[in-house]
Amino acid sequence: MERQHIIGLGAFVVLVGAVALASPHAARDSAQAAPVTSTAHLKLASLSISARHDVDYSALDERLKAMVARPSMVGLAVGVIENGRITFLAGYGETARGSGEAVTPATVFRWASCSKGVAATMVAKLAEQGKIDLNAPVVNYAPTLKLPNAGEYRATVTDLLSHRLGLYRNAYDNKLEEGQSPAVLRSQLGALSAVCQPGTCWDYQNVAFDASSEMVARSMGMSYPQAVQRTLFDPIGMRSASVTREGLEGAASWARPHSVGRRLLPVTDAYYKVPAAGGINSNIKDFALWMIAQAGGMADVLSPRLLATIHAPLVKTPTEQGRMRKFAERVHSPYYGLGWRSYDYVGHRIIGHRGGVAGYRSLILFDPEKKSGVVALWNSNTSQPGGLEFEVMDMIYHLPFRDWMELNKGPSAAVVAEGDDPQAAAQGSAG
């Protein structure tokens, strides 16, 4: 469990290339040839030692080794960027408890609700092209979505992507997890009682949020997975990324899901049926590349105007302040934008998200001005590694050390009950 793998540049490029060629989503329809990744983006996919300036990687590595040894952990992958370059990629622990198969930077995990930033980026790209109006009613682009009191005629695309639809939190997630069709469930949301008028209050959604995948598919004339692959993953160079269960299980190395007690769980497909809300998979290198693009490092794919639109602090989320209370010394002013959260971190504006589906957790957090941040993926239901992003940000900002991962509190601190996060049910997709 304490084994740790950091792949060198040459070996990693060869390995990722082999995985891409072997994976199911590597084959492309000849009628829709994929865009070629630019030479500049290929360079960004390499590990840069010279870009290291702020983070103590030796100390971080030791902390992560101690984390994966905790009773609730099985496997963990972490990536760091500094100054717009990947400076650290590492895997720890096992893909499945007792398997002996080590997690490496090529191991594929689920992103869960970190997928929402992908959907918002896709819709914003279409808005740049004049195919979607962010201020137009959602009914114009997603006819399956119905809201209380015909709210689909008043709620805008922006309201959808910022969780301001007037629905109670996580509406119909339970029915989605029972196997019901998300399109049918979206059509039934109109029968619910509204908690507010669209655009006037914030309540996190999955079933309703996935109307954004319908918008993308209808606007581009192809499936949502195809659209994301062509528009984002291929140009960025995210060779392991996919939007299906087959993309996860077909990877040469993929992390199996586990309970907080390290019991192996089945892979559930409910949130693959709402891909905009929770359907993305990738290895940690591609997650780091996604962070570079979101931090402004690939302006040819994601323009500064697009990033300003999706990262803008649109709605206060005071309940988030309560959830983040143990980090209150650092974290203030939580907001939600379009598929992204933002915070004030001791005077610095940072952007991020978290995610969780049964047996998987994820996080991304970065400073777009410094183009520095951290991503992490792990395959158990514990939320404890959620402090590691703040330990990295403290290094980036040269702040005094704080034991945000609570590794100094003893092994029992690592055992967190499933569903402890108010944004994440044991089966649900977390925000």
Side-chain angles (χ1 to χ4, degrees), residues 43-366:
K43 181 180 179 180
L44 289 174
S46 65
L47 193 69
S48 173
I49 303 301
S50 63
R52 293 179 169 181
H53 294 293
D54 300 311
V55 176
D56 183 338
Y57 291 98
S58 177
L60 176 62
D61 180 53
E62 290 303 313
R63 296 282 289 171
L64 296 175
K65 287 177 182 176
M67 170 57 69
V68 83
R70 291 278 158 153
S72 59
M73 294 295 294
V74 179
L76 170 70
V78 175
V80 177
I81 67 169
E82 286 194 64
N83 307 296
R85 294 295 305 272
I86 297 174
T87 49
F88 182 81
L89 294 170
Y92 303 83
E94 298 175 295
T95 61
R97 181 187 180 189
S99 69
E101 181 184 358
V103 170
T104 75
T107 300
V108 173
F109 293 75
R110 296 182 69 171
W111 287 18
S113 270
C114 288
S115 304
K116 289 182 172 69
V118 175
T121 302
M122 280 296 309
V123 174
K125 287 278 284 186
L126 292 169
E128 276 195 322
Q129 298 166 10
K131 295 179 180 179
I132 288 179
D133 181 351
L134 295 176
N135 297 312
V138 292
V139 70
N140 291 9
Y141 307 105
T144 67
L145 179 63
K146 306 298 180 186
L147 297 173
N149 307 315
E152 66 270 20
Y153 291 92
R154 296 188 300 279
T156 66
V157 176
T158 292
D159 291 332
L160 170 71
L161 296 175
S162 57
H163 303 291
R164 295 182 294 177
L165 296 177
L167 299 168
Y168 65 82
R169 193 185 75 186
N170 297 101
Y172 284 168
D173 280 7
N174 60 323
K175 294 188 176 184
L176 176 70
E177 291 159 16
E178 291 168 359
Q180 297 189 38
S181 163
V184 172
L185 291 176
R186 282 198 293 273
S187 71
Q188 295 173 348
L189 290 170
L192 299 175
S193 296
V195 299
C196 69
Q197 290 297 313
T200 64
C201 68
W202 185 88
D203 280 290
Y204 197 81
Q205 303 297 321
N206 287 305
V207 174
F209 187 93
D210 191 60
S212 55
S213 74
E214 182 181 358
M215 292 180 181
V216 170
R218 287 170 58 87
S219 297
M220 294 190 65
M222 63 181 69
S223 72
Y224 181 75
Q226 288 174 324
V228 169
Q229 195 78 49
R230 287 179 50 79
T231 307
L232 298 176
F233 294 165
D234 285 334
I236 290 172
M238 298 169 64
R239 297 296 182 235
S240 74
S242 63
V243 199
T244 63
R245 179 175 177 173
E246 291 73 24
L248 173 73
E249 297 179 336
S253 172
W254 65 281
R256 276 64 169 176
H258 296 77
S259 72
V260 71
R262 299 195 292 178
R263 174 175 54 86
L264 192 65
L265 299 174
V267 176
T268 58
D269 64 358
Y271 289 93
Y272 284 122
K273 295 177 181 177
V274 287
I280 306 298
N281 319 297
S282 87
N283 62 32
I284 198 67
K285 187 270 294 184
D286 284 349
F287 205 10
L289 279 176
W290 174 245
M291 180 165 54
I292 289 174
Q294 288 291 326
M298 299 186 187
D300 56 324
V301 181
L302 305 181
S303 71
R305 180 179 178 183
L306 182 153
L307 294 175
T309 297
I310 62 178
H311 295 162
L314 297 180
V315 54
K316 289 183 178 180
T317 54
T319 56
E320 176 74 353
Q321 192 72 58
R323 199 200 70 81
M324 304 284 278
R325 59 189 177 276
K326 73 177 183 179
F327 310 115
E329 179 184 348
R330 302 277 199 256
V331 181
H332 305 279
S333 303
Y335 278 82
Y336 206 93
L338 303 187
W340 289 96
R341 295 185 184 275
S342 63
Y343 309 90
D344 177 283
Y345 197 80
V346 290
H348 303 275
R349 182 169 176 266
I350 56 174
I351 308 296
H353 215 286
R354 296 175 306 280
V357 292
Y360 297 95
R361 294 290 184 266
S362 63
L363 64 85
I364 178 171
L365 192 68
F366 60 92

